[in-house]
Amino acid sequence: MCGRTACTLAPDEVSRACSYRNRGGQRRQPRWRDGDADKYRPSYNKSLQSMSPVLVSQRHFDKTAPVDECVLASMRWGLIPAWFKESDPSKMQYSTSNCRSENILEKKSYKDPLLKGQRCVIMADGFYEWQRVEKEKQPFFIYFPQKNGPSQERKEDQQQDVTSSTCNTVVSEKGEISHDLAEESEAPAEWTGWRLLTMAGVFDCWTPPGGGEALYTYSVITVNASPNLQSIHDRMPAILDGEDEVRRWLDFGEVKSLDAIKLLQSKDVLTFHPVSSFVNNSRNNSPECLQPVDLSRKKEIKATASSKMMMSWLSSGSPAKRKEPDTNETKGEQDSKAKSRCKPAGGLQLWLQGANKKPRTK
């Protein structure tokens, strides 16, 4: 199953990380659906019923839009079927956070939205899974291997912060235009930062019987675990590997439901590392959730190639650009930050020390 994720990018970073190519091969950068960027909160520890960034076809919100045009939306984790009759979604008596690919056409909750083309891609830095070890459970963080370094993507963001008061457009040393200009361009620069995990899902739109604001919710589709993950858990999210698979999953006009289901395969494309039981408490929301640990010594260790890339990416960020975490700081977080001040200021420690900064207001 998949019951916890992390998505730490700021809204504008998510938009850039989700750039895609349409049917004609043209690169596009999806905009956030009106108001949805404010509903999303970056988090190191997202649990069920939280709001996550989801990529969908713009046609679901605008019947005149091309089917292969994408938009980012904030949706709640845990699908509420459109036919649900209760006035309170919390009265849902069964879990819809995950949907088994084998049963997707057998259960009405998932079959209806699938046949309507209501397919989505859930974006995340990665997801957490727990391995049962005797009487305990060991958490792991699972994500795409990162082929390239964090490059200058976030460092250019920091430069833009300094110059934004006098100029709205910044050109990097590589000649790449800044986000402000790329957002208006038909060919935005390809994202070179952290590669987000792309998980296949289905979504639905529920409206309270007595009227009110529509609630968009989703379920993560799962498949049998790939060989390298089977020792952790027997299930994993259905991963869409690459832009072509993402485009085909979302393009319900060109790719019909039965053909789209063929994309839901177990893929041996992910990497992972063990993390602290700190992540077990969903109220804990800090980089410590992602920190690699040594299972034999239960303490911080030197990162592997992939986990080192993740820590390098975090430390290259600009905490001032981020929104506040989606939960209040807990005592555990406060204790963790206090301990970090007593350690050498490595990449993770620098990130922790900067995490308390208030976001820049425009």
Side-chain angles (χ1 to χ4, degrees), residues 80-128:
I80 305 297
W83 46 262
F84 186 63
K85 300 301 182 182
E86 297 287 347
S87 58
D88 184 354
S90 65
K91 293 183 179 180
M92 191 81 162
Q93 296 184 354
Y94 55 94
S95 174
T96 55
S97 58
N98 292 172
C99 164
R100 296 176 69 93
S101 62
E102 306 92 316
N103 305 331
I104 197 168
L105 291 175
E106 299 174 6
K107 297 187 177 182
K108 181 178 175 61
S109 297
Y110 311 121
K111 179 181 178 180
D112 286 359
L114 178 71
L115 296 182
K116 292 177 183 177
Q118 293 171 190
R119 310 193 296 252
C120 63
V121 178
I122 300 96
M123 313 303 300
D125 293 8
F127 70 97
Y128 299 98

Side-chain angles (χ1 to χ4, degrees), residues 20-24 26 28 30 56-71 117 186 247 250-254:
Y20 65 96
R21 294 187 186 278
N22 60 16
R23 293 178 188 172
Q26 296 171 310
R28 295 282 190 264
V56 295
S57 168
Q58 173 68 19
R59 178 70 68 86
H60 294 300
F61 306 111
D62 179 2
K63 299 302 181 183
T64 64
V67 180
D68 62 337
E69 181 179 326
C70 297
V71 65
E186 292 189 353
R247 183 191 66 79
L250 295 179
D251 192 346
F252 64 93
E254 184 179 74

Side-chain angles (χ1 to χ4, degrees), residues 51-346:
M51 303 296 286
S52 296
V54 174
L55 195 64
V56 295
S57 168
Q58 173 68 19
R59 178 70 68 86
H60 294 300
F61 306 111
D62 179 2
K63 299 302 181 183
T64 64
V67 180
D68 62 337
E69 181 179 326
C70 297
V71 65
L72 276 167
S74 287
M75 295 190 185
R76 200 183 80 159
W77 191 356
L79 188 143
I80 305 297
W83 46 262
F84 186 63
K85 300 301 182 182
E86 297 287 347
S87 58
D88 184 354
S90 65
K91 293 183 179 180
M92 191 81 162
Q93 296 184 354
Y94 55 94
S95 174
T96 55
S97 58
N98 292 172
C99 164
R100 296 176 69 93
S101 62
E102 306 92 316
N103 305 331
I104 197 168
L105 291 175
E106 299 174 6
K107 297 187 177 182
K108 181 178 175 61
S109 297
Y110 311 121
K111 179 181 178 180
D112 286 359
L114 178 71
L115 296 182
K116 292 177 183 177
Q118 293 171 190
R119 310 193 296 252
C120 63
V121 178
I122 300 96
M123 313 303 300
D125 293 8
F127 70 97
Y128 299 98
E129 192 55 85
W130 281 258
Q131 177 190 57
R132 184 173 292 280
V133 182
E134 296 180 349
K135 295 182 180 181
E136 298 181 354
K137 287 185 177 182
Q138 171 60 48
F140 286 81
F141 187 62
I142 306 171
Y143 49 98
F144 270 139
Q146 304 297 308
K147 297 180 181 180
N148 300 313
S151 73
Q152 299 298 315
E153 189 75 35
R154 290 195 176 182
K155 293 179 181 178
E156 289 165 9
D157 287 343
Q158 294 173 1
Q159 180 183 2
Q160 184 177 341
D161 289 343
V162 175
T163 59
S164 60
S165 62
T166 58
C167 181
N168 291 327
T169 302
V170 175
V171 180
S172 71
E173 293 179 357
K174 296 180 181 180
E176 296 173 346
I177 52 178
S178 71
H179 172 58
D180 289 343
L181 185 57
E183 189 174 49
E184 299 298 330
S185 171
E186 292 189 353
E190 186 172 357
W191 172 255
T192 56
W194 184 261
R195 183 187 178 193
L196 291 179
L197 199 59
T198 43
M199 300 178 286
V202 290
F203 74 93
D204 212 343
C205 178
W206 173 80
T207 304
E213 183 179 359
L215 176 64
Y216 285 88
T217 58
Y218 69 88
S219 178
V220 175
I221 301 174
T222 65
V223 296
N224 288 326
S226 59
N228 71 323
L229 296 180
Q230 287 175 356
S231 62
I232 300 176
H233 200 277
D234 63 349
R235 303 291 293 183
M236 66 180 287
I239 303 300
L240 300 167
D241 186 20
E243 290 187 0
D244 183 62
E245 289 195 2
V246 169
R247 183 191 66 79
R248 291 172 61 198
W249 179 252
L250 295 179
D251 192 346
F252 64 93
E254 184 179 74
V255 183
K256 302 306 178 184
S257 299
L258 294 181
D259 291 324
I261 290 177
K262 297 176 183 178
L263 295 170
L264 307 176
Q265 303 293 329
S266 175
K267 300 183 178 74
D268 197 0
V269 295
L270 303 181
T271 188
F272 59 88
H273 63 255
V275 295
S276 165
S277 58
F278 180 78
V279 74
N280 292 359
N281 188 334
S282 61
R283 292 176 295 178
N284 291 337
N285 182 13
S286 77
E288 187 176 343
C289 294
L290 305 176
Q291 176 66 53
V293 298
D294 183 344
L295 296 184
S296 63
R297 298 183 179 182
K298 295 293 183 181
K299 69 178 183 179
E300 184 177 321
I301 61 171
K302 292 183 179 180
T304 62
S306 292
S307 60
K308 183 176 181 181
M309 191 72 72
M310 178 183 66
M311 293 304 156
S312 177
W313 169 243
L314 289 176
S315 64
S316 68
S318 173
K321 292 196 68 175
R322 297 178 176 276
K323 291 188 176 183
E324 295 288 356
D326 59 359
T327 57
N328 292 327
E329 185 176 89
T330 65
K331 185 179 185 298
E333 289 177 61
Q334 295 171 351
D335 291 343
S336 172
K337 291 172 184 176
K339 291 178 182 178
S340 73
R341 298 189 187 99
C342 301
K343 299 179 180 180

